[in-house]
Amino acid sequence: MQTTRIMAAVANVWRQPRTLPIDTSAIANAGLQAWLAQLSDAETVKLERENRIVTQALFNDVFLVERFVDGWAYGYVASQRDDHHLQGYPGWIWAAQLSTVPLPIQTGPTVTIRRGFTPLLKADGRTLLRLSLGTELPVIGSKDHRYYTVQTPLGVAKVAKRATQFGFKTANLTRGATLVRLGETFLDLRYLWGGISAYGFDCSGFVYSLHRCVGIQLPRDAQDQIDKGVAVEREAAQPGDLCFFAHDHGQGAVHHVALYAGDGWILHAPTPGKHVTYLQLATTYLQDELVAIKRNW
């Protein structure tokens, strides 16, 4: 197994080592904005139906490569391990999005990007990439009052310190309330099947990414997330708890997860073609499919 790191801003992890013509710009290292701009809502629905993308990996994430085939790499996103994927989440990544250069071993602090997007800068201030929420980087210098110096697959770079802080005051917030406050900064963002980045989320990718930003590691998928945390009764639910929903009035397989926002409201990434939104649980069919509430914070 070869250890590599993601050197694209966000790398899609594909089910098969191929893309459609419409996906050409989806394997660009600079980001996904060009690809998403050409996807209609109907095409985002098709993305789910065909299950072309299984997850995403963020810049600097470790990807363990099992084999290279025709410009593709099959392996595992090491930060997305769960009981079913002990090595990490499996899939295919376009090999040009991977760095095989070993990085110096870092035992010091790391920082996490807590804004939607922020530039990764060269020493002279030029932009290398636009990093997404959740990106984690090792710090090798912090004396500058505005920037951290960080080690990356593209070499030594810098990132604004304020980008590693929440864009709102957290002094009087629980970690659960912080999750909700961070989540609502993405209201109206279009759902993206497999998404864990600020370009778009699916339901479990949304809660996975928010928890990552408060230092809590969750499994990638709702079916595995439900096994984590402490069970909470509905009347005791607090903002930041996770609500899980299952088919057949709660008797079947888990199919959705949402963030409880308080007063009977949930915040979630609903389905393809929809956008991140608030929903009053009592007004929707999901009320009958609620199977568990879990707290991880």
Side-chain angles (χ1 to χ4, degrees), residues 68-73 93-97:
F68 290 96
V69 179
D70 298 331
W72 290 86
I93 288 181
W94 183 240
Q97 296 186 311

Side-chain angles (χ1 to χ4, degrees), residues 161-173:
K161 288 183 175 180
R162 64 182 179 85
T164 69
Q165 302 162 356
F166 295 110
F168 50 88
K169 295 180 179 180
T170 60
N172 297 317
L173 298 179

Side-chain angles (χ1 to χ4, degrees), residues 20-123:
L20 300 179
I22 198 171
D23 298 325
T24 301
S25 57
I27 55 176
N29 283 7
L32 302 179
Q33 58 268 32
W35 176 56
L36 293 172
Q38 65 180 345
L39 288 184
S40 66
D41 287 348
E43 285 161 337
T44 65
V45 172
K46 187 177 180 182
L47 192 67
E48 179 201 28
R49 288 177 179 170
E50 297 177 351
N51 201 17
R52 297 206 304 276
I53 295 173
V54 295
T55 189
Q56 292 176 328
L58 304 181
F59 181 75
N60 195 52
D61 279 353
V62 171
F63 187 70
L64 302 174
V65 177
E66 188 174 280
R67 62 185 183 275
F68 290 96
V69 179
D70 298 331
W72 290 86
Y74 179 81
Y76 310 89
V77 184
S79 59
Q80 296 178 30
R81 296 184 178 95
D82 57 48
D83 292 342
H84 299 101
H85 309 111
L86 299 181
Q87 294 174 300
Y89 213 100
W92 295 87
I93 288 181
W94 183 240
Q97 296 186 311
L98 300 175
S99 171
T100 58
V101 178
L103 292 182
I105 296 175
Q106 297 291 334
T107 58
T110 61
V111 291
T112 301
I113 302 303
R114 293 188 168 101
R115 306 293 177 101
F117 294 103
T118 196
L120 178 70
L121 303 173
K122 293 184 178 181

Side-chain angles (χ1 to χ4, degrees), residues 113-149:
I113 302 303
R114 293 188 168 101
R115 306 293 177 101
F117 294 103
T118 196
L120 178 70
L121 303 173
K122 293 184 178 181
D124 61 9
R126 288 181 294 167
T127 298
L128 283 164
L129 285 177
R130 198 168 66 133
L131 302 179
S132 168
L133 175 94
T135 302
E136 298 173 353
L137 299 167
V139 175
I140 57 176
S142 59
K143 291 183 179 179
D144 189 306
H145 72 281
R146 292 185 301 165
Y147 296 99
Y148 287 115
T149 302

Side-chain angles (χ1 to χ4, degrees), residues 124-242:
D124 61 9
R126 288 181 294 167
T127 298
L128 283 164
L129 285 177
R130 198 168 66 133
L131 302 179
S132 168
L133 175 94
T135 302
E136 298 173 353
L137 299 167
V139 175
I140 57 176
S142 59
K143 291 183 179 179
D144 189 306
H145 72 281
R146 292 185 301 165
Y147 296 99
Y148 287 115
T149 302
V150 291
Q151 183 71 57
T152 85
L154 299 178
V156 175
K158 61 182 184 178
V159 66
K161 288 183 175 180
R162 64 182 179 85
T164 69
Q165 302 162 356
F166 295 110
F168 50 88
K169 295 180 179 180
T170 60
N172 297 317
L173 298 179
T174 64
R175 276 210 292 179
T178 299
L179 290 168
V180 176
R181 183 68 183 84
L182 180 60
E184 71 180 11
T185 65
F186 296 99
L187 285 169
D188 298 325
L189 180 66
R190 187 168 64 165
Y191 180 104
L192 178 64
W193 177 251
I196 67 159
S197 79
Y199 286 109
F201 303 99
D202 62 20
C203 69
S204 56
F206 184 52
V207 300
Y208 165 86
S209 298
L210 297 179
H211 280 75
R212 181 167 169 159
C213 286
V214 299
I216 299 172
Q217 190 67 39
L218 286 185
R220 168 63 181 85
D221 291 339
Q223 299 94 317
D224 300 295
Q225 292 170 352
I226 194 172
D227 295 328
K228 304 299 180 182
V230 177
V232 176
E233 295 297 328
R234 183 167 179 172
E235 59 272 14
Q238 295 182 34
D241 293 344
L242 296 182

